[in-house]
């Protein structure tokens, strides 16, 4: 299953430059099953370890959506998405991943604020808590399959969020809508527990790791998808961007096509404080994606 991943330092940061230069990413699912990292987190540096959809899968997605593309997305806030939150911890304290209900509520508020100009709202439906040392540091592979098989709830249109201390320098990952039919049990979003609002993963501790990953779950690619190519992220109003942006580099312009790089877009890799935008084209694409693949 193709999925999108955020990383923050660690071993993925070492290879980040080479991955971006190649225009592709490597999947954390290729790691040996159950060989999990230590719980210590590196200094955050947002990066990529993504298994992109193959060219054939991308083509299939565009063909499936061709008959559903609308000139305008549905009304803001008209599509409610149930959220099932799965807290994976290694003990009872907050420093062991046992985030509070108040932190989860704050994250849901951040999601609703970020998506306020889209068709989507998010309602927390249920929260469960699991103490499991292997799942706590899970970054993909066999442990992910076991965790999600045991905990996932709802159907294609229900958002399952898993928070843990995944290690490997990762911030999170998500599955795409088009992957649901083939592997429904893996559907959902996994985020680093300390990336929630007020967490310790500064400058990625304002809740926009979840915003970004939910964007993938709703069908968006990174703004730098495809670099400066004509198709890019398949959204016409996000200017082409040759590679991921970090920090908040105002005035960055890496492609000769019109428009500065969309550094404030939630689907780039800038700091949480820099991210504040989904474009109208992204709204249309997310809406068409969930109609096509999630039945919402």
């Amino acid at each position: 299953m193709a999925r999108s991943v955020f990383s923050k330092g660690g071993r993925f940061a070492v290879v980040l430059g080479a991955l971006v230069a190649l225009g592709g990413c490597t999947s954390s699912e290729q790691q040996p099953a159950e060989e999990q990292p230590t719980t210590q987190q590196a200094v955050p540096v947002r990066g990529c370890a993504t298994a992109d959809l193959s060219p054939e899968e991308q083509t299939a997605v565009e063909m499936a959506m061709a008959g559903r593309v609308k000139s305008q997305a549905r009304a803001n806030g008209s599509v409610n998405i149930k959220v099932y939150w799965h807290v994976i911890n290694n003990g009872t304290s907050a420093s062991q991943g046992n985030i509070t209900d108040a932190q989860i509520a704050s994250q849901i508020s951040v999601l609703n604020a970020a998506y306020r100009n889209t068709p989507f709202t998010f309602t927390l439906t249920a929260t469960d808590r699991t103490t499991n040392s292997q799942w706590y540091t899970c970054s993909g592979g066999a442990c992910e399959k076991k965790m999600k098989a045991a905990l996932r709830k709802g159907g294609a249109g229900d958002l399952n969020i898993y928070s843990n201390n995944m290690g490997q320098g990762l911030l999170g990952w998500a599955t795409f809508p088009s992957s649901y039919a083939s592997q429904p049990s893996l559907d959902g979003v996994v985020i680093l527990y300390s990336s929630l609002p007020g967490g310790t993963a500064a400058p990625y501790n304002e809740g926009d790791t979840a915003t970004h990953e939910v964007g993938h779950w709703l069908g968006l690619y990174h703004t730098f998808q495809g670099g400066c190519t004509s198709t890019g992220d398949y959204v016409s109003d996000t200017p082409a961007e040759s590679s991921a942006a970090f920090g908040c580099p105002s005035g960055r312009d890496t492609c000769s096509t019109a428009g500065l790089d969309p550094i404030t877009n939630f689907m780039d890799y800038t700091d949480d404080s820099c991210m504040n935008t989904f474009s109208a084209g992204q709204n249309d694409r997310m809406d068409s994606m969930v109609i096509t693949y999630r039945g919402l």
Side-chain angles (χ1 to χ4, degrees):
M1 171 179 284
R3 66 182 192 180
S4 178
V5 186
F6 264 170
S7 73
K8 62 179 202 74
R11 71 185 69 179
F12 285 108
V14 175
V15 298
L16 174 62
L19 290 171
V20 171
L22 290 171
C25 306
T26 183
S27 171
S28 58
E29 289 184 349
Q30 296 170 352
Q31 299 164 20
E34 307 300 348
E35 291 186 10
Q36 302 305 328
T38 64
T39 59
Q40 184 176 2
Q41 288 291 331
V43 176
V45 178
R46 195 163 348 245
C48 177
T50 302
D52 292 325
L53 295 177
S54 69
E56 294 77 16
E57 288 171 326
Q58 290 184 32
T59 298
V61 167
E62 299 314 307
M63 290 179 65
M65 288 186 52
R68 290 192 178 270
V69 172
K70 304 183 298 297
S71 60
Q72 185 176 355
R74 288 175 285 188
N76 293 348
S78 61
V79 181
N80 183 60
I81 294 174
K82 295 179 181 178
V83 178
Y84 295 94
W85 196 292
H86 312 286
V87 177
I88 311 300
N89 59 62
N90 200 34
T92 58
S93 71
S95 64
Q96 294 172 301
N98 196 33
I99 54 176
T100 66
D101 290 343
Q103 287 176 288
I104 296 171
S106 180
Q107 178 65 79
I108 297 297
S109 294
V110 168
L111 282 177
N112 281 318
Y115 285 85
R116 65 187 180 278
N117 294 320
T118 79
F120 308 107
T121 60
F122 303 88
T123 301
L124 182 65
T125 300
T127 302
D128 54 63
R129 298 172 183 276
T130 302
T131 301
N132 185 305
S133 60
Q134 290 186 331
W135 295 356
Y136 179 61
T137 55
C138 182
S139 56
C143 59
E144 178 187 9
K145 293 177 180 178
K146 291 178 182 178
M147 176 179 72
K148 290 182 174 180
L151 299 177
R152 193 187 186 284
K153 298 177 181 177
D158 298 315
L159 173 59
N160 282 254
I161 298 180
Y162 306 79
S163 57
N164 74 351
N165 192 31
M166 59 194 66
Q168 299 282 11
L170 294 174
L171 281 172
W173 68 83
T175 57
F176 292 105
S178 57
S179 299
Y180 181 83
S182 61
Q183 291 185 293
S185 65
L186 287 181
D187 188 65
V189 165
V190 186
I191 60 172
L192 181 69
Y193 81 92
S194 55
S195 72
L196 270 68
T200 59
Y204 311 114
N205 61 343
E206 298 181 15
D208 283 328
T209 289
T211 302
H212 177 107
E213 297 304 343
V214 171
H216 288 308
W217 185 82
L218 293 169
L220 296 182
Y221 298 132
H222 294 128
T223 53
F224 49 87
Q225 174 91 10
C228 297
T229 64
S230 58
T231 55
D233 63 352
Y234 293 91
V235 177
S236 62
D237 62 355
T238 55
E241 186 177 26
S242 67
S243 60
F246 301 91
C248 195
S250 179
R252 186 176 189 255
D253 191 6
T254 57
C255 293
S256 60
T257 50
L260 298 176
D261 292 359
I263 64 162
T264 63
N265 196 283
F266 288 116
M267 302 313 295
D268 208 332
Y269 270 12
T270 49
D271 293 350
D272 279 14
S273 61
C274 190
M275 293 178 165
N276 57 36
T277 304
F278 286 116
S279 73
Q282 286 176 315
N283 292 352
D284 286 344
R285 185 172 179 84
M286 287 188 285
D287 199 24
S288 295
M289 278 282 188
V290 300
I291 290 172
T292 303
Y293 291 107
R294 297 201 179 278
L296 290 173

